[in-house]
Amino acid sequence: MSFATGLICRECGSAYPSEARYSCENCFGPLEVNYDLDAAKRVVTRASIAGGPPSIWRYAALLPDPGTEPVDLGAGWTPLRRSTRLAEVLRVRELWLKDDTRNPTGSFKDRVVSVAMSSARRLGFTTAACASTGNLATSVAAHAAFIGWPSVTIIPSDLEKSKIAMTAIFGGTVLGVEGNYDDVNRLCVELVAEHADWAFMNVNLRPYYAEGSKTLAFEICEQLGWRTPDQVVVPLASGSQFTKVAKGFDQFIELGLVDGAAPVLFGAQATGCSPIATAFAKGAEVVTPQRPNTIARSLAIGNPADGPYVLDELRAGGGDCGSVSDDEILECIGLLARTEGIFAETAGGVTIASLRQMIARGTIDPEKSIVAIISGHGLKTLDAIVETATVSSTITPSLESAEDALRFHQLVAAS
Ligand SMILES: *Cc1c(COP(=O)(O)O)cnc(C)c1O
Ligand SMILES: [Zn+2]
């Protein structure tokens, strides 16, 4: 049972029922899902959660009402792994990797889509749609296929081939827009006005969609043995994941489910699309949009909807925001793979490179616990690495040729 009570305006606090509404009638502010935490407190316990399914739906009490049953492809309950080898390289005492590459379609977006599609079905929608930098489109197409819905996913036409293929395979309609994500998003806002019966996950269903990200915080706490970590590094695109991870920690603390204080949250961006990092570094009040140019396509949102809220949280919490080059992203995809056996997409490279950067400038404390969110699988962005990650040597099928190559790579002593 869900303890969601309806929607509430993040700016003026106006309340609305749990309907398909995403902006406030009074002030046009964004809406979010509100909960009766006092009632939840009497019912939701560590044991009640631990007895739930191994998916995000173990936290159903703190998610929007999914209706009769959730649209559940198995998102969430991904491993939180203690790092030893990467921690050693980065010289930190306690590093944990939240491995969200393990979701059904290989990215954290399955969390938000499972929640948004469930709400969409409860509200009577019958078509799923979204504006996407790639991963959301894949997840929407997959979840729609799972329940037999048509889907319309709208992406920049020049996305990674692997991401387009992974979306198209589910059989929905994929529209490639000649433009960047910000163009796609503008178009989708216009489409919502024309097709009010389509559930655009991250536009008219956005309040519900966003709630799915809280489950990252819930899982991290539960997997750490019901304690909060000290510091969490979160990749930033629109900033939705970041603000809802913060909300998730706050709710668990308010419910008394977890020991420890709210963690300090740190953002991670690619320099080629770093409007939030730039505003934070400058001490600016507003986030100035940027035209994205980075290999981290999943994070390439130049005009992030939740940017102002991320800035507020970074400042109030004493956090910081990384900004890393494409070369550093590629290097850190390799570093993570070589030290931990985890193959991440470019966004994971952004997270690890930003973590390293903020340790170096002393804003992340190496003596305190750290969680890094690895939000997407490397197979999604093969394009980014196929040129460099190749065979070590090409040889003929002869022992001599093999031995030559092994000597060259210093696996056997030179004769
Ligand atoms: C979408 C996405 C994010 C974060 O997106 P927000 O819009 O900030 O919630 C992070 N990592 C990956 C791989 C993504 O696809
Ligand atoms: Zn309002």
Side-chain angles (χ1 to χ4, degrees):
M1 172 199 165
S2 169
F3 287 91
T5 54
L7 301 173
I8 188 165
C9 174
R10 277 155 90 177
E11 291 299 325
C12 76
S14 300
Y16 300 89
S18 289
E19 58 196 17
R21 177 189 293 279
Y22 63 106
S23 73
C24 178
E25 272 183 358
N26 301 319
C27 76
F28 302 104
L31 303 181
E32 69 175 339
V33 178
N34 198 22
Y35 296 84
D36 183 350
L37 291 185
D38 289 330
K41 212 175 226 166
R42 292 191 289 272
V43 180
V44 182
T45 62
R46 292 177 180 182
S48 74
I49 290 171
S55 79
I56 60 168
W57 294 102
R58 64 203 284 106
Y59 308 107
L62 304 173
L63 293 173
D65 177 8
T68 46
E69 70 178 308
V71 179
D72 185 9
L73 264 185
W77 203 238
T78 59
L80 179 72
R81 176 129 66 77
R82 177 83 188 253
S83 158
T84 49
R85 303 212 325 117
L86 180 60
E88 219 174 278
V89 173
L90 297 176
R91 298 167 195 266
V92 295
R93 199 176 51 79
E94 185 184 346
L95 174 64
W96 299 84
L97 301 167
K98 183 59 173 163
D99 186 3
D100 249 19
T101 70
R102 305 277 202 105
N103 278 301
T105 72
S107 88
F108 112 96
K109 287 297 193 304
D110 292 325
R111 298 176 182 273
V112 284
V113 170
S114 181
V115 173
M117 290 276 280
S118 302
S119 290
R121 190 162 65 176
R122 176 180 63 80
L123 292 166
F125 289 94
T126 52
T127 299
C130 67
S132 174
T133 57
N135 289 328
L136 178 58
T138 303
S139 184
V140 167
H143 283 81
F146 176 59
I147 60 169
W149 278 21
S151 66
V152 182
T153 55
I154 309 182
I155 55 174
S157 60
D158 66 346
L159 274 194
E160 298 98 332
K161 281 205 180 99
S162 39
K163 276 190 183 153
I164 294 174
M166 276 189 75
T167 305
I169 198 68
F170 294 109
T173 301
V174 185
L175 300 183
V177 174
E178 293 171 340
N180 61 29
Y181 174 81
D182 298 288
D183 299 318
V184 170
N185 191 48
R186 253 192 316 274
L187 172 62
C188 286
V189 172
E190 289 179 52
L191 281 168
V192 166
E194 296 293 319
H195 302 275
D197 54 335
W198 290 5
F200 278 83
M201 299 294 130
N202 54 340
V203 186
N204 52 343
L205 273 289
R206 190 171 181 86
Y208 303 100
Y209 161 95
E211 289 297 295
S213 288
K214 291 189 313 190
T215 59
L216 277 164
F218 296 159
E219 288 177 20
I220 289 167
C221 290
E222 186 175 351
Q223 290 168 320
L224 285 174
W226 303 102
R227 70 179 166 101
T228 55
D230 298 318
Q231 308 169 98
V232 183
V233 184
V234 186
L236 303 173
S238 72
S240 175
Q241 178 183 136
F242 183 100
T243 58
K244 297 306 173 187
V245 164
K247 182 178 178 181
F249 284 118
D250 288 345
Q251 287 188 332
F252 256 31
I253 290 167
E254 192 168 338
L255 289 168
L257 289 169
V258 69
D259 302 320
V264 181
L265 298 191
F266 296 82
Q269 291 204 299
T271 305
C273 184
S274 52
I276 298 173
T278 302
F280 179 76
K282 277 193 193 152
E285 284 296 313
V286 292
V287 176
T288 307
Q290 177 182 354
R291 182 170 289 273
N293 180 17
T294 168
I295 57 168
R297 299 296 305 267
S298 55
L299 304 181
I301 297 184
N303 188 11
D306 287 284
Y309 298 103
V310 176
L311 274 186
D312 288 349
E313 171 70 30
L314 285 172
R315 287 183 179 135
D320 187 11
C321 190
S323 169
V324 296
S325 71
D326 285 357
D327 284 345
E328 291 172 291
I329 294 166
L330 289 173
E331 183 201 339
C332 285
I333 290 173
L335 176 64
L336 178 66
R338 290 193 309 276
T339 55
E340 298 291 344
I342 296 175
F343 181 25
E345 71 145 85
T346 44
V350 171
T351 296
I352 298 300
S354 293
L355 166 63
R356 185 175 67 177
Q357 182 181 80
M358 292 184 283
I359 293 165
R361 69 170 168 251
T363 47
I364 289 183
D365 185 341
E367 293 302 316
K368 292 187 174 158
S369 61
I370 305 165
V371 174
I373 295 176
I374 309 302
S375 52
H377 199 285
L379 288 174
K380 291 179 160 264
T381 58
L382 269 185
D383 309 39
I385 60 153
V386 280
E387 299 295 322
T388 49
T390 62
V391 294
S392 308
S393 293
T394 303
I395 62 171
T396 63
S398 73
L399 187 58
E400 195 190 352
S401 180
E403 291 292 339
D404 272 350
L406 295 178
R407 269 191 296 279
F408 177 79
H409 294 292
Q410 299 180 351
L411 285 163
V412 297
S415 51

